[in-house]
Amino acid sequence: MAYATLESPLARAPTTMSWTSEYSEPPPYDMCDTPTLASAAGYTDKTALPFSRPSASGAMPPPLPRAPWPASPRRSAANLSIPHLREALHSLESKMARLLNERDRLEARLEQAVRLQSPVQRVPNDLLSSIFTIAVLDGEEEDSITLSNLMLVCQYWREVAIHTPMLWTRIAMGTHRSVDRALLKLDRSKTAPLYISLDFSPRMEHGTVSTENIITAMDLIQPAIWRWKTFHLTVPSRPQAHIALTRCKEQAPLLEVLSIRVAHSMQEDHYSTPPLPLFERHMPRLRSTSFTSFNFNWDLSLLSNLRVLKLGGYWNGFSPSVDVILKTLRSCPLLEELVLRNMSDVDPESCAPLVSESSTEQDDYAMARVSDTRTIHLPRLRRASFYYSGNLRTRTVFSLLSFPALERIELCYLDNVSPILESLRKQSLTVLPLRHLRIESCFLNELRFARLLPRLPALNSLELVDVEDVTPNLMRNFATPPVSQTWVCPKLATLSLEGCTSIDWETLRSIVESRLPPHSRAFPRQAAQHEAAPVPRPAVSMSSASASSQRPVASSSSSSSASAFAATAYILAHQPSAPAVSSSSLAVGRPVRLESMDLTRCHQISKEMVQWLRMYVAEVKCETVKSVWGEPSAS
C-alpha cells in the first residue's frame, strides 16, 4: 500500500504593520480627501481612481495592482480620520453653544431696548409711585391683591413699590392678622403717616381674646404715635381698652380720626376709672371721634372742633347727660355729622313740661332741664342719626339746634317723634334742604307729619319702617294734589313702606299712577296750537278727560286697576291738540317718577299687585314667595 507523503505548508511572509498612527496626531480632516488617499495608495493617474466611471471611448481603465491587505493605506487613512472627526464635531458643538449664548444675550438686550421705548417704562419713579398709591389705597381699605400683582410685574416695579412708603401705611392687627406683616409695613413706611387698626373683637372661631396679644400690638406701634393719622381700636371689654390706652401717653400731632369700641357694651363692671389723659390732650388735628361704651370721663379735649361725632353704647350711669351733649355740640361749631346710638334715657324726674308754641292742640311734651337754653347753630350739619338715644334726651337736644344745611336724618326706636317733626317744620320755614328721611319703630302725629311733608321739596328718599301711624289718608298726599295746591315732595324717587300693613292697594296705585310721566300726546307742545285740528273722534270731552285723569279709579284687584289705567291712557292719547289744557300739574311742573319701592313684610300686597307695580317702578322689593317645597320662587 502506497502512502502519500504530506508536505509541510509553506511559510507565509511576515506582515509588517505600522502602529505609529495610534501615537501620532492625525492630519487635519480637510486633508483627508480622495486625491490624498489615492496618492497614499500609489495611484499616479488621478483619472483612474477606484469607483471611477468609464471614459468616453468606453474602454475600462486597467486593473489596479492589489496591495497587501494589512498594508492598505486607505484603511489606515480611515482609521486616522475617526478621532479627528469626533474632535471636529465637538469643536463645532462648542462653537454653536457659544453662538446660541451670544444670540440669547442679544435677544435680551433687544427686548430691553424695545421695552425702554414703551411709554410705561419712561414714567418717572415719583409718578409711578403715585399711580400705585391710587390703585392700592383708593378705597377705604387697602387692596392687598392689587399690591401683590403690581410687585409681580417686573423687578423694576417691585423696587418702586418697596420704596413707596405710602403703600405700607395701612397697618392692621388683630385675632386673624399677622404681626410679621405689621413689622414689615412699619419698616417700609419710613416716616409716612400711619393708619392703625387693631381689631380684637371676640369671635367664636378664634375663642377668647388674650390681653397679652393686645399689649403686644400696642407696644409694637407705640414708638410711632407721632405718625398716627387714624387709630381704630376694638376690644372685648373695658379693662382691656383701658390697659391698651395707657400706652398712649405721647402727643399725637397728626391724629385726625380716633375710634374706640368696646364690644361688650352691656356688661356690668366696676372698672370706671378713666385712663390717663390720652395723648397728653394734644391732638390739634382731631376731626372725627367715635366712642362706643368707652369711659373717658367725658373729657371735652377729645370732643372739641370735630367734624364727625359718634357716641353709642352707654347705659345706666355711664350715659351722658343732656348738658354734656349740649356742651359738646357748642364746642363743635363746624360739626357735619352727629350720631347718638344706644343710650339710656335721662332720669324723668329731672324733666319739666314744655308746651309747644306752634301747637294748636296745646300738647304737653316733657323736656329735660338744662343749664343753658341758648340755641346751638350748626351751619354745616348734614347728617343726623338718633337710634335709641333716649326720647327725652333727643327731644331736648333737637329742640335747641339750628341746622340750615341738614340733608339726612334718621329717627329710630324713639317713643314719640312728633316734637322732632315740629322742630323740622320750624326749620323748614327758612331753609331745609332735607333729602333723606327715615323713621323706624316710632310713633308720630299724622297731622304734624302731613304739615311737614309740603315743606320738603328736595326730599327724594322717604323710609317709613314699622310705623303704625302711617295711614292711607297720610299717603294720599303724595298722589295728585288739589288744583289750588302744589305737589308734595315732587322729587321723591325712593319710597320705603317696610312693615306698614295699614297701607291699602288703592293708595299705592294712585301714588304710582299720578307720578308717571305724561303721555307724549296727552300734553301737546305750544308750537302745536297753530296747527290744524285733526279729525274729531268719538271721545270724551276735555273736561271729562281731565277729570278722569285726576280721579282715582276704585277697584279691588290689580287687573281692574291696570285696565282702568289703560283706559285713561287711551283717552289722553287720543285727545286733539287744543290749547285749553288746564291742570295744576302743568302750572307747577310734574313730579319725578318713582324708581324704587320697598314693600317688605307688607302682607296685604299680593303677588299680582307687585307684578303690576314692577311695570311702572324700576325696583320693587318684597318678600320672596316660597313654593310648596319651601324653595324660593319668583314673586
Side-chain angles (χ1 to χ4, degrees):
M1 173 180 279
Y3 295 92
T5 59
L6 298 174
E7 299 180 357
S8 59
L10 298 178
R12 180 176 298 180
T15 304
T16 59
M17 299 182 66
S18 176
W19 301 95
T20 58
S21 62
E22 297 181 2
Y23 303 96
S24 61
E25 184 178 359
Y29 72 96
D30 53 353
M31 297 299 296
C32 298
D33 52 357
T34 303
T36 305
L37 295 177
S39 61
Y43 301 113
T44 57
D45 189 3
K46 296 181 179 182
T47 59
L49 295 177
F51 310 103
S52 59
R53 295 182 179 180
S55 59
S57 59
M60 296 296 295
L64 298 176
R66 187 173 183 180
W69 174 257
S72 175
R74 185 174 182 178
R75 183 176 181 85
S76 300
N79 292 336
L80 292 176
S81 64
I82 290 177
H84 183 73
L85 292 175
R86 290 178 178 175
E87 183 179 357
L89 290 175
H90 180 69
S91 63
L92 289 177
E93 291 177 355
S94 301
K95 292 180 180 180
M96 292 174 63
R98 289 194 299 271
L99 292 175
L100 289 176
N101 293 336
E102 184 67 20
R103 178 184 177 181
D104 294 340
R105 287 194 296 269
L106 291 176
E107 288 182 352
R109 294 178 60 182
L110 177 61
E111 183 180 358
Q112 183 179 4
V114 173
R115 191 185 304 114
L116 291 177
Q117 297 298 323
S118 175
V120 178
Q121 297 296 330
R122 296 196 301 267
V123 175
N125 294 351
D126 298 340
L127 183 56
L128 195 61
S129 300
S130 302
I131 295 174
F132 289 172
T133 304
I134 295 174
V136 176
L137 305 179
D138 190 20
E140 297 180 357
E141 297 182 358
E142 176 188 2
D143 192 353
S144 57
I145 298 179
T146 302
L147 179 58
S148 302
N149 294 335
L150 291 175
M151 296 180 65
L152 292 175
V153 172
C154 62
Q155 185 67 23
Y156 172 65
W157 281 27
R158 174 182 174 84
E159 293 297 331
V160 172
I162 291 177
H163 293 88
T164 303
M166 289 301 298
L167 294 177
W168 313 98
T169 55
R170 303 291 179 93
I171 299 177
M173 289 184 289
T175 53
H176 58 286
R177 299 284 185 174
S178 174
V179 180
D180 298 335
R181 180 74 173 177
L183 288 172
L184 180 64
K185 289 188 174 182
L186 282 173
D187 181 42
R188 293 181 177 178
S189 61
K190 305 300 179 182
T191 59
L194 298 178
Y195 301 82
I196 308 297
S197 177
L198 304 182
D199 188 2
F200 290 93
S201 56
R203 292 183 173 88
M204 296 300 297
E205 62 270 16
H206 299 289
T208 58
V209 179
S210 175
T211 307
E212 297 179 359
N213 296 336
I214 302 176
I215 296 176
T216 302
M218 290 298 302
D219 293 339
L220 181 63
I221 61 177
Q222 180 183 2
I225 289 181
W226 61 277
R227 292 198 290 142
W228 289 6
K229 191 171 184 179
T230 63
F231 178 65
H232 299 268
L233 176 64
T234 303
V235 292
S237 61
R238 294 192 187 96
Q240 292 176 339
H242 286 229
I243 292 175
L245 293 175
T246 52
R247 269 72 177 169
C248 302
K249 300 179 181 179
E250 302 178 1
Q251 298 180 358
L254 302 180
L255 189 62
E256 296 181 359
V257 179
L258 177 61
S259 175
I260 302 174
R261 176 177 176 268
V262 178
H264 298 157
S265 59
M266 295 295 293
Q267 62 183 354
E268 295 291 340
D269 52 42
H270 302 282
Y271 199 89
S272 59
T273 303
L276 297 175
L278 296 179
F279 309 105
E280 296 184 0
R281 293 191 175 92
H282 183 76
M283 296 163 288
R285 297 188 178 183
L286 187 62
R287 294 296 178 265
S288 177
T289 300
S290 177
F291 293 146
T292 303
S293 189
F294 170 66
N295 180 25
F296 59 100
N297 203 16
W298 303 109
D299 189 2
L300 291 181
S301 62
L302 300 174
L303 305 176
S304 300
N305 300 323
L306 298 177
R307 301 291 189 273
V308 178
L309 175 60
K310 298 180 180 180
L311 300 175
Y314 294 97
W315 307 100
N316 302 330
F318 294 102
S319 60
S321 62
V322 179
D323 288 331
V324 170
I325 299 296
L326 294 178
K327 289 180 181 179
T328 302
L329 296 178
R330 286 190 174 92
S331 62
C332 303
L334 302 180
L335 191 66
E336 298 178 0
E337 182 177 358
L338 175 62
V339 176
L340 301 180
R341 188 182 182 92
N342 296 334
M343 295 181 180
S344 297
D345 205 353
V346 297
D347 189 5
E349 297 180 358
S350 62
C351 299
L354 179 64
V355 179
S356 179
E357 298 177 357
S358 60
S359 174
T360 58
E361 295 84 0
Q362 298 296 325
D363 297 334
D364 294 340
Y365 297 106
M367 298 291 182
R369 293 190 178 94
V370 294
S371 58
D372 191 355
T373 58
R374 294 177 301 171
T375 303
I376 303 175
H377 298 279
L378 300 176
R380 296 188 179 183
L381 184 64
R382 301 181 183 277
R383 298 168 60 94
S385 177
F386 300 93
Y387 187 98
Y388 200 81
S389 56
N391 193 22
L392 295 177
R393 179 188 292 106
T394 305
R395 184 186 306 169
T396 306
V397 170
F398 210 86
S399 62
L400 298 177
L401 294 182
S402 175
F403 35 83
L406 188 64
E407 297 180 356
R408 183 183 182 93
I409 184 172
E410 297 179 357
L411 306 174
C412 305
Y413 293 93
L414 300 174
D415 293 338
N416 191 356
V417 295
S418 298
I420 301 178
L421 298 179
E422 185 64 24
S423 300
L424 289 174
R425 194 189 69 84
K426 291 180 181 180
Q427 183 66 47
S428 65
L429 296 178
T430 55
V431 58
L432 184 61
L434 192 64
R435 301 177 183 274
H436 177 84
L437 175 60
R438 178 183 176 90
I439 302 177
E440 180 178 357
S441 300
C442 299
F443 299 101
L444 55 87
N445 190 323
E446 183 179 355
L447 181 60
R448 294 181 184 274
F449 192 44
R451 292 175 181 176
L452 172 64
L453 290 176
R455 306 296 306 177
L456 304 177
L459 189 69
N460 57 14
S461 177
L462 177 61
E463 298 182 7
L464 302 175
V465 182
D466 293 328
V467 180
E468 298 180 358
D469 297 327
V470 177
T471 60
N473 295 328
L474 176 64
M475 297 307 298
R476 288 194 186 97
N477 294 324
F478 296 100
T480 305
V483 179
S484 60
Q485 297 181 5
T486 59
W487 284 88
V488 176
C489 303
K491 296 183 179 181
L492 185 65
T494 302
L495 179 61
S496 176
L497 300 174
E498 181 179 353
C500 298
T501 57
S502 59
I503 304 298
D504 58 358
W505 164 245
E506 291 301 326
T507 303
L508 290 178
R509 183 193 57 78
S510 61
I511 294 175
V512 173
E513 289 182 354
S514 61
R515 291 178 175 266
L516 288 175
H519 196 273
S520 59
R521 298 179 59 184
F523 303 102
R525 295 176 297 179
Q526 297 296 331
Q529 297 180 4
H530 305 285
E531 297 177 359
V535 179
R537 298 177 181 269
V540 190
S541 62
M542 179 60 64
S543 59
S544 61
S546 59
S548 61
S549 62
Q550 297 181 2
R551 182 177 63 251
V553 182
S555 177
S556 59
S557 62
S558 60
S559 59
S560 60
S561 60
S563 59
F565 177 76
T568 306
Y570 178 82
I571 294 174
L572 293 176
H574 292 79
Q575 291 301 320
S577 300
V581 178
S582 60
S583 177
S584 61
S585 59
L586 287 179
V588 298
R590 297 286 301 179
V592 299
R593 183 173 183 171
L594 286 177
E595 299 178 358
S596 176
M597 292 188 66
D598 191 351
L599 300 176
T600 306
R601 294 186 289 109
C602 293
H603 307 293
Q604 75 278 12
I605 306 300
S606 63
K607 177 181 177 180
E608 291 76 11
M609 299 176 184
V610 173
Q611 291 178 351
W612 185 90
L613 290 174
R614 286 177 175 173
M615 292 190 301
Y616 305 103
V617 182
E619 181 182 6
V620 179
K621 299 180 182 179
C622 62
E623 290 183 345
T624 304
V625 179
K626 295 184 178 180
S627 62
V628 180
W629 305 101
E631 300 177 354
S633 60
S635 60

